[in-house]
Amino acid sequence: MASSVVSISSTITLITIFILSSVLSIASTAESLEERTRPFKKVYAFGDSFTDTGNTKNAEGPSGFGHVSNSPYGSTFFNHSTNRYSDGRLVIDFVAEALSLPYLPPYRHSKGNDTFGVNFAVAGSTAINHEFFVRNNLSLDITPQSIQTQMIWFNRYLESQGCQGVESKCKDFDETLFWFGEIGVNDYAYTLGSSVSDDTIRKLAVSSVSGALQALLQKGAKYLVVQGLPLTGCLPLAMYLAPQDDRDDIGCVKSVNNQSYTHNLVLQAKLQEFRKQYPHAVIVYADYWNAYRTVMKNPGKYGFKEVFRVCCGSGEPPYNFSVFATCGTPNATVCTSPSQYINWDGVHLTEAMYKVVSDMFLQGNFSQPPFNFLLEKKERQG
């Protein structure tokens, strides 16, 4: 009888060990499979409020939009504010999802969860160094960070990882995607009404962004996506400020859209120079301007009913927008169906619009070369 009990006990133990080892084996296989299906191990992101996943909080926000920590920011997806300037996810969040990676932690608040990358983007950030705005008496209430600040943060981060530039052969760069969200819109906005010309801003802003990109390329970056400026003349703030006779064929502010369009042409020319200078790298231009314009020309196709009115605003006609009662302030109200709106708060877009735009970049025809080309080259090179 005793031997029978021992035998049964041994059998149960063996079965338990077999089940546990099988579960662990399956979990290990699933994990390694997920790693193999991830094209990149890391993503590093840069940019402004269109890309910032939490480097900015209320008190640090750009003038008029310093309420990002308040409800209803983040209400659609996260159910609370994450200090993203939207009701939910941004383009960079959908990029992370597409690459089977977690959402990127903001550099200022990464808390050690930076295994899969870091986001250095800051709301209100400029392309041009802050000192330029100080010299021209344009520094009132503007965010002091620029793309140079973000590069300083990035270099500090690399040092903390024991990776200090070209000499150290930052090998994880072979497995890293660098995502440059749009940056430069704030430079034009901060000089509105001043004697500083658009030409000056364009030249300095593109030069500054180019310097940051070149620094990354010299460090060994191989895979970069650079977003152009969006259709900024269609943002309610621009519509609110511009005279009624300054409109284009889709009802947006013509002068502002032309400004962004010209900026993007200069940026694209610079990217083409880099492609020749760094043939080992894949440099993708994400055409925000034309992606946005495509949605504006046929909003219903993408599920949008409101192209100019903001979802979260003051109630003031015609755009439900006022600079004196922006989203997150006590007098602002929020719409019941954000997914039917392109605009969230007057300057930033809804999660629904960011999703449409990210699909256009990642799967559509609004990246040159196509994002799939970058993925295929990465897969070939291992």
Side-chain angles (χ1 to χ4, degrees), residues 47-62 65-90 92-93 104-111 119-124 327-328 344-345 348-349 354:
D48 60 18
S49 55
F50 275 44
T51 308
D52 184 356
T53 54
N55 280 311
T56 306
K57 293 187 177 180
N58 267 0
E60 305 153 344
F65 290 87
H67 312 285
V68 69
S69 302
N70 299 352
S71 176
Y73 282 97
S75 56
T76 292
F77 183 77
F78 300 101
N79 297 316
H80 60 89
S81 171
T82 59
N83 295 303
R84 285 167 170 80
Y85 279 86
S86 184
D87 59 313
R89 292 162 290 183
L90 313 177
I92 190 63
D93 294 313
L104 297 184
Y107 170 71
R108 282 171 158 177
H109 313 288
S110 58
K111 299 174 184 173
N119 191 337
F120 300 92
V122 185
C327 188
W344 170 243
D345 63 6
H348 311 101
L349 311 178
Y354 285 131

Side-chain angles (χ1 to χ4, degrees), residues 226-228 264 285-292 361 366-368:
V226 183
Q227 292 181 200
N264 289 340
Y285 173 71
D287 191 350
Y288 217 140
W289 199 93
N290 277 304
Y292 198 138
F361 291 162
F366 292 89
S367 292
Q368 295 94 36

Side-chain angles (χ1 to χ4, degrees), residues 167-205:
E167 297 79 12
S168 66
K169 306 286 184 193
C170 299
K171 289 181 181 174
D172 73 333
F173 281 11
D174 291 350
E175 302 291 333
T176 300
L177 176 66
F178 291 87
W179 189 281
F180 257 67
E182 66 91 9
I183 190 163
V185 170
N186 292 318
D187 300 71
Y188 292 102
Y190 296 154
T191 52
L192 188 66
S194 76
S195 60
V196 180
S197 70
D198 283 359
D199 285 347
T200 298
I201 294 298
R202 186 182 310 114
K203 186 182 297 183
L204 293 175

Side-chain angles (χ1 to χ4, degrees), residues 76 87 299 302-306 311 335-342 344 350-353 356:
T76 292
D87 59 313
Y302 302 95
F304 298 115
K305 291 183 178 178
E306 294 286 353
C311 174
C335 69
T336 55
S337 303
S339 62
Q340 296 179 0
Y341 286 69
I342 287 176
W344 170 243
T350 59
E351 176 184 272
M353 181 60 169
V356 168

